[in-house]
Amino acid sequence: MAVNMKGKSLIEINHLTLEEIYQIFDLSATLKQERLIGKKHYILEGKKLGMIFAKPSTRTRVSFEVGIYELGGYGMFFNQNDLQLKKSESVSDTAKVLSRYLDGIMIRTFDHQDVIDLAKYGSIPVINGLTDLHHPCQVLTDLFTVLEKRRTLRELKLAYIGDGNNMAHSLLHGCSKVGMNISIASPSGFKPLDFVVKESMENAKYMGSKIEILEDPVSAVKGADIIYTDVWASMGQEKEAEERKKRFMGFQVNPQLVKHAKEDYLFMHCLPAHRGDEVTDEICDSPNSVIFDEAENRLHVQKAVMALVM
Ligand code: CP
Ligand code: NVA
């Protein structure tokens, strides 16, 4: 039976039930198929989505804007500097004002609390398009992509190599919610936050799956079905990039490392990739790599999210 998600915000994957996650995947597959055959689906005719970006973006911006257009709605882009938000106006007042004009807000920003507050004080759904803590749209898309390729999520093993950042956090929530095993290898001092690991451990216990937080990339990758990595310095950490490069030596996804995974492993990356740092060209461009399918699927999955919540 369909679960009613109208009005629900997408702040982090842990706020979704398993039924809601699979509902998003089912609708994503339908919308993808319909687009392929050129069928129009004006599910959100006349609806307005505000898109606020305090950080740069290629995929998130373009896929949301194309997505709302293809659903029959209208997307409005705001660089954070275009708005009074957090300059001469609070998040709560902004949320109340935007709720009078729009039908939904997508926001990419630094402080996760701002997304929580926008949803709390506004009366329209808020979709997190990346914060320092989480990137739920990306990980829902990644899980959908694995489902397309492998027809199942349970009992697969995903190895995440690198920084314990927003991607690692959302992967921990996402994999544990759907019963996928996840092994994370990060240098000491760059591990995912304890409270996110704890929340994910609770999901994993419920689903009967496993979580490992390690420092050795080879152990993490051993027998993996999926190898995932992300940049060593995220947006906002540019000044730390050189120092981080030294700390992440040995955490590159390269031909030596992937030998320890299953032969038909999938290579995934949210992109943008810093080729030559966290991953080499051979891996990005190998037949195992599904990085551009992930990028495409952002469109289909986010259309499903918007269609369900707006
Ligand atoms: N993966 C992702 O969110 O890409 P952008 O930063 O280009 O939006
Ligand atoms: N961890 C990266 C993800 C980019 C999609 C960042 O926050 O910059």
Side-chain angles (χ1 to χ4, degrees):
M1 213 183 69
V3 198
N4 185 4
M5 295 174 69
K6 284 281 169 251
K8 183 161 181 150
S9 288
L10 174 55
I11 297 171
E12 55 184 68
I13 292 183
N14 235 30
H15 295 169
L16 297 175
T17 64
L18 194 60
E19 290 71 25
E20 288 171 335
I21 292 173
Y22 275 95
Q23 177 160 270
I24 294 168
F25 293 162
D26 286 348
L27 185 57
S28 306
T30 304
L31 294 175
K32 184 170 181 174
Q33 186 56 29
E34 287 183 358
R35 186 179 194 263
L36 200 68
I37 59 169
K39 185 168 171 220
K40 304 275 179 255
H41 32 232
Y42 294 142
I43 305 171
L44 295 181
E45 199 159 5
K47 298 258 171 120
K48 274 85 62 190
L49 176 77
M51 308 187 301
I52 305 171
F53 284 87
K55 294 179 179 180
S57 167
T58 297
R59 282 143 288 271
T60 307
R61 167 151 190 204
V62 180
S63 56
F64 266 104
E65 197 159 337
V66 170
I68 186 73
Y69 172 79
E70 289 185 358
L71 290 169
Y74 180 71
M76 262 178 255
F77 171 81
F78 307 103
N79 187 310
Q80 192 166 314
N81 297 327
D82 297 337
L83 302 175
Q84 309 280 13
L85 177 61
K86 291 198 94 176
K87 291 190 285 290
S88 68
E89 197 161 34
S90 64
V91 175
S92 57
D93 280 359
T94 303
K96 288 172 192 159
V97 171
L98 292 181
S99 297
R100 301 285 179 115
Y101 304 128
L102 302 169
D103 301 289
I105 297 173
M106 180 259 117
I107 179 164
R108 163 168 292 194
T109 193
F110 294 85
D111 190 350
H112 192 70
Q113 190 61 41
D114 290 348
V115 181
I116 295 172
D117 289 343
L118 261 187
K120 179 171 166 195
Y121 294 105
S123 54
I124 53 176
V126 174
I127 300 172
N128 178 356
L130 181 145
T131 62
D132 287 347
L133 194 63
H134 281 295
H135 198 359
C137 292
Q138 180 68 51
V139 169
L140 282 173
T141 302
D142 297 332
L143 294 174
F144 174 73
T145 307
V146 174
L147 194 58
E148 279 189 322
K149 307 280 176 199
R150 293 288 179 262
R151 314 312 308 169
T152 181
L153 296 175
R154 289 194 81 152
E155 289 166 25
L156 298 178
K157 174 181 174 179
L158 183 143
Y160 174 90
I161 309 300
D163 192 19
N165 58 14
N166 43 12
M167 280 308 309
H169 292 153
S170 288
L171 282 166
L172 274 166
H173 275 173
C175 291
S176 61
K177 270 270 169 184
V178 300
M180 195 190 274
N181 302 311
I182 173 166
S183 296
I184 295 192
S186 317
S188 70
F190 295 91
K191 300 225 161 94
L193 293 173
D194 285 343
F195 85 92
V196 180
V197 175
K198 195 165 163 275
E199 288 169 350
S200 308
M201 291 279 190
E202 281 164 25
N203 297 337
K205 192 169 163 212
Y206 180 74
M207 292 301 287
S209 61
K210 277 195 293 242
I211 296 179
E212 292 180 308
I213 307 294
L214 309 166
E215 286 181 21
D216 175 26
V218 172
S219 311
V221 164
K222 205 153 270 167
D225 300 276
I226 300 131
I227 302 179
Y228 205 115
T229 189
D230 184 18
V231 292
W232 292 336
S234 284
M235 290 180 275
Q237 298 173 330
E238 289 78 7
K239 287 204 182 92
E240 299 169 29
E242 280 316 304
E243 187 52 36
R244 281 172 169 262
K245 247 184 210 186
K246 292 179 209 148
R247 300 296 311 276
F248 283 85
M249 286 271 284
F251 286 80
Q252 185 185 66
V253 178
N254 56 32
Q256 290 74 44
L257 184 64
V258 304
K259 277 193 199 126
H260 302 277
K262 291 209 175 117
E263 210 175 303
D264 65 347
Y265 79 93
L266 300 175
F267 172 68
M268 303 186 89
H269 193 309
C270 53
L271 304 179
H274 293 173
R275 290 167 179 247
D277 286 348
E278 77 273 5
V279 61
T280 61
D281 281 333
E282 300 100 295
I283 301 298
C284 274
D285 302 325
S286 73
N288 300 71
S289 173
V290 295
I291 57 178
F292 299 113
D293 295 322
E294 290 174 82
E296 179 194 325
N297 283 337
R298 290 290 300 275
L299 173 65
H300 312 301
V301 172
Q302 289 160 190
K303 278 168 76 176
V305 170
M306 287 190 281
L308 288 164
V309 303
M310 280 174 69

PDB file of all heavy atoms in Angstrom, residues 30-39 41 296 300:
ATOM      1  N   THR A  30       9.709   4.062 -12.289  1.00  0.00           N
ATOM      2  CA  THR A  30       8.603   4.389 -13.199  1.00  0.00           C
ATOM      3  C   THR A  30       8.903   5.671 -13.969  1.00  0.00           C
ATOM      4  O   THR A  30       8.755   5.731 -15.194  1.00  0.00           O
ATOM      5  CB  THR A  30       7.290   4.582 -12.396  1.00  0.00           C
ATOM      6  OG1 THR A  30       7.068   3.399 -11.639  1.00  0.00           O
ATOM      7  CG2 THR A  30       6.103   4.854 -13.295  1.00  0.00           C
ATOM      8  N   LEU A  31       9.341   6.710 -13.249  1.00  0.00           N
ATOM      9  CA  LEU A  31       9.608   7.996 -13.897  1.00  0.00           C
ATOM     10  C   LEU A  31      10.755   7.874 -14.893  1.00  0.00           C
ATOM     11  O   LEU A  31      10.749   8.497 -15.961  1.00  0.00           O
ATOM     12  CB  LEU A  31       9.909   9.075 -12.850  1.00  0.00           C
ATOM     13  CG  LEU A  31       8.740   9.456 -11.919  1.00  0.00           C
ATOM     14  CD1 LEU A  31       9.202  10.441 -10.854  1.00  0.00           C
ATOM     15  CD2 LEU A  31       7.572  10.045 -12.711  1.00  0.00           C
ATOM     16  N   LYS A  32      11.742   7.052 -14.537  1.00  0.00           N
ATOM     17  CA  LYS A  32      12.886   6.851 -15.440  1.00  0.00           C
ATOM     18  C   LYS A  32      12.422   6.202 -16.739  1.00  0.00           C
ATOM     19  O   LYS A  32      12.790   6.625 -17.838  1.00  0.00           O
ATOM     20  CB  LYS A  32      13.954   5.994 -14.738  1.00  0.00           C
ATOM     21  CG  LYS A  32      15.210   5.800 -15.548  1.00  0.00           C
ATOM     22  CD  LYS A  32      16.330   5.158 -14.746  1.00  0.00           C
ATOM     23  CE  LYS A  32      17.592   5.004 -15.590  1.00  0.00           C
ATOM     24  NZ  LYS A  32      18.732   4.532 -14.809  1.00  0.00           N
ATOM     25  N   GLN A  33      11.609   5.169 -16.588  1.00  0.00           N
ATOM     26  CA  GLN A  33      11.084   4.439 -17.751  1.00  0.00           C
ATOM     27  C   GLN A  33      10.214   5.347 -18.610  1.00  0.00           C
ATOM     28  O   GLN A  33      10.344   5.377 -19.834  1.00  0.00           O
ATOM     29  CB  GLN A  33      10.301   3.211 -17.232  1.00  0.00           C
ATOM     30  CG  GLN A  33       9.814   2.257 -18.306  1.00  0.00           C
ATOM     31  CD  GLN A  33      10.961   1.755 -19.197  1.00  0.00           C
ATOM     32  OE1 GLN A  33      12.106   1.652 -18.750  1.00  0.00           O
ATOM     33  NE2 GLN A  33      10.658   1.478 -20.465  1.00  0.00           N
ATOM     34  N   GLU A  34       9.343   6.121 -17.961  1.00  0.00           N
ATOM     35  CA  GLU A  34       8.450   7.017 -18.712  1.00  0.00           C
ATOM     36  C   GLU A  34       9.253   8.064 -19.487  1.00  0.00           C
ATOM     37  O   GLU A  34       8.933   8.401 -20.616  1.00  0.00           O
ATOM     38  CB  GLU A  34       7.476   7.716 -17.753  1.00  0.00           C
ATOM     39  CG  GLU A  34       6.397   6.775 -17.242  1.00  0.00           C
ATOM     40  CD  GLU A  34       5.368   7.452 -16.350  1.00  0.00           C
ATOM     41  OE1 GLU A  34       5.490   8.673 -16.080  1.00  0.00           O
ATOM     42  OE2 GLU A  34       4.457   6.748 -15.890  1.00  0.00           O
ATOM     43  N   ARG A  35      10.298   8.568 -18.864  1.00  0.00           N
ATOM     44  CA  ARG A  35      11.134   9.589 -19.532  1.00  0.00           C
ATOM     45  C   ARG A  35      11.802   8.996 -20.770  1.00  0.00           C
ATOM     46  O   ARG A  35      11.916   9.626 -21.807  1.00  0.00           O
ATOM     47  CB  ARG A  35      12.182  10.089 -18.544  1.00  0.00           C
ATOM     48  CG  ARG A  35      13.010  11.261 -19.072  1.00  0.00           C
ATOM     49  CD  ARG A  35      13.987  11.684 -17.992  1.00  0.00           C
ATOM     50  NE  ARG A  35      14.584  12.977 -18.260  1.00  0.00           N
ATOM     51  CZ  ARG A  35      15.763  13.154 -18.833  1.00  0.00           C
ATOM     52  NH1 ARG A  35      16.473  12.111 -19.233  1.00  0.00           N
ATOM     53  NH2 ARG A  35      16.242  14.355 -19.015  1.00  0.00           N
ATOM     54  N   LEU A  36      12.226   7.729 -20.613  1.00  0.00           N
ATOM     55  CA  LEU A  36      12.906   7.038 -21.704  1.00  0.00           C
ATOM     56  C   LEU A  36      12.021   6.932 -22.941  1.00  0.00           C
ATOM     57  O   LEU A  36      12.482   7.058 -24.073  1.00  0.00           O
ATOM     58  CB  LEU A  36      13.316   5.643 -21.204  1.00  0.00           C
ATOM     59  CG  LEU A  36      14.396   4.903 -21.927  1.00  0.00           C
ATOM     60  CD1 LEU A  36      15.744   5.618 -21.732  1.00  0.00           C
ATOM     61  CD2 LEU A  36      14.521   3.470 -21.364  1.00  0.00           C
ATOM     62  N   ILE A  37      10.729   6.704 -22.719  1.00  0.00           N
ATOM     63  CA  ILE A  37       9.817   6.561 -23.865  1.00  0.00           C
ATOM     64  C   ILE A  37       9.150   7.886 -24.222  1.00  0.00           C
ATOM     65  O   ILE A  37       8.224   7.936 -25.034  1.00  0.00           O
ATOM     66  CB  ILE A  37       8.764   5.446 -23.625  1.00  0.00           C
ATOM     67  CG1 ILE A  37       7.913   5.737 -22.377  1.00  0.00           C
ATOM     68  CG2 ILE A  37       9.412   4.080 -23.536  1.00  0.00           C
ATOM     69  CD1 ILE A  37       6.703   4.831 -22.227  1.00  0.00           C
ATOM     70  N   GLY A  38       9.609   8.960 -23.578  1.00  0.00           N
ATOM     71  CA  GLY A  38       9.114  10.295 -23.922  1.00  0.00           C
ATOM     72  C   GLY A  38       7.749  10.626 -23.354  1.00  0.00           C
ATOM     73  O   GLY A  38       7.085  11.561 -23.804  1.00  0.00           O
ATOM     74  N   LYS A  39       7.305   9.855 -22.343  1.00  0.00           N
ATOM     75  CA  LYS A  39       5.993  10.127 -21.744  1.00  0.00           C
ATOM     76  C   LYS A  39       6.099  11.293 -20.768  1.00  0.00           C
ATOM     77  O   LYS A  39       6.980  11.307 -19.909  1.00  0.00           O
ATOM     78  CB  LYS A  39       5.491   8.858 -21.044  1.00  0.00           C
ATOM     79  CG  LYS A  39       4.100   8.996 -20.503  1.00  0.00           C
ATOM     80  CD  LYS A  39       3.508   7.664 -20.067  1.00  0.00           C
ATOM     81  CE  LYS A  39       2.194   7.935 -19.333  1.00  0.00           C
ATOM     82  NZ  LYS A  39       2.001   7.099 -18.187  1.00  0.00           N
ATOM     83  N   HIS A  41       5.070  13.518 -17.577  1.00  0.00           N
ATOM     84  CA  HIS A  41       4.413  13.238 -16.289  1.00  0.00           C
ATOM     85  C   HIS A  41       4.319  14.527 -15.474  1.00  0.00           C
ATOM     86  O   HIS A  41       5.180  14.800 -14.654  1.00  0.00           O
ATOM     87  CB  HIS A  41       5.127  12.121 -15.507  1.00  0.00           C
ATOM     88  CG  HIS A  41       6.611  12.047 -15.721  1.00  0.00           C
ATOM     89  ND1 HIS A  41       7.270  10.908 -16.069  1.00  0.00           N
ATOM     90  CD2 HIS A  41       7.567  13.000 -15.659  1.00  0.00           C
ATOM     91  CE1 HIS A  41       8.549  11.156 -16.198  1.00  0.00           C
ATOM     92  NE2 HIS A  41       8.764  12.421 -15.953  1.00  0.00           N
ATOM     93  N   GLU A 296      23.174  10.394 -13.420  1.00  0.00           N
ATOM     94  CA  GLU A 296      21.874  10.444 -14.126  1.00  0.00           C
ATOM     95  C   GLU A 296      20.719  10.162 -13.162  1.00  0.00           C
ATOM     96  O   GLU A 296      19.699  10.847 -13.189  1.00  0.00           O
ATOM     97  CB  GLU A 296      21.831   9.410 -15.264  1.00  0.00           C
ATOM     98  CG  GLU A 296      20.472   9.472 -15.959  1.00  0.00           C
ATOM     99  CD  GLU A 296      20.138   8.315 -16.875  1.00  0.00           C
ATOM    100  OE1 GLU A 296      21.041   7.769 -17.530  1.00  0.00           O
ATOM    101  OE2 GLU A 296      18.933   7.984 -16.932  1.00  0.00           O
ATOM    102  N   HIS A 300      16.144  11.127 -11.656  1.00  0.00           N
ATOM    103  CA  HIS A 300      14.946  10.295 -11.497  1.00  0.00           C
ATOM    104  C   HIS A 300      14.528  10.177 -10.036  1.00  0.00           C
ATOM    105  O   HIS A 300      13.346  10.244  -9.708  1.00  0.00           O
ATOM    106  CB  HIS A 300      15.194   8.901 -12.095  1.00  0.00           C
ATOM    107  CG  HIS A 300      15.796   8.955 -13.469  1.00  0.00           C
ATOM    108  ND1 HIS A 300      15.176   9.593 -14.519  1.00  0.00           N
ATOM    109  CD2 HIS A 300      16.982   8.488 -13.961  1.00  0.00           C
ATOM    110  CE1 HIS A 300      15.941   9.510 -15.604  1.00  0.00           C
ATOM    111  NE2 HIS A 300      17.046   8.840 -15.284  1.00  0.00           N
TER     112      HIS A 300
END
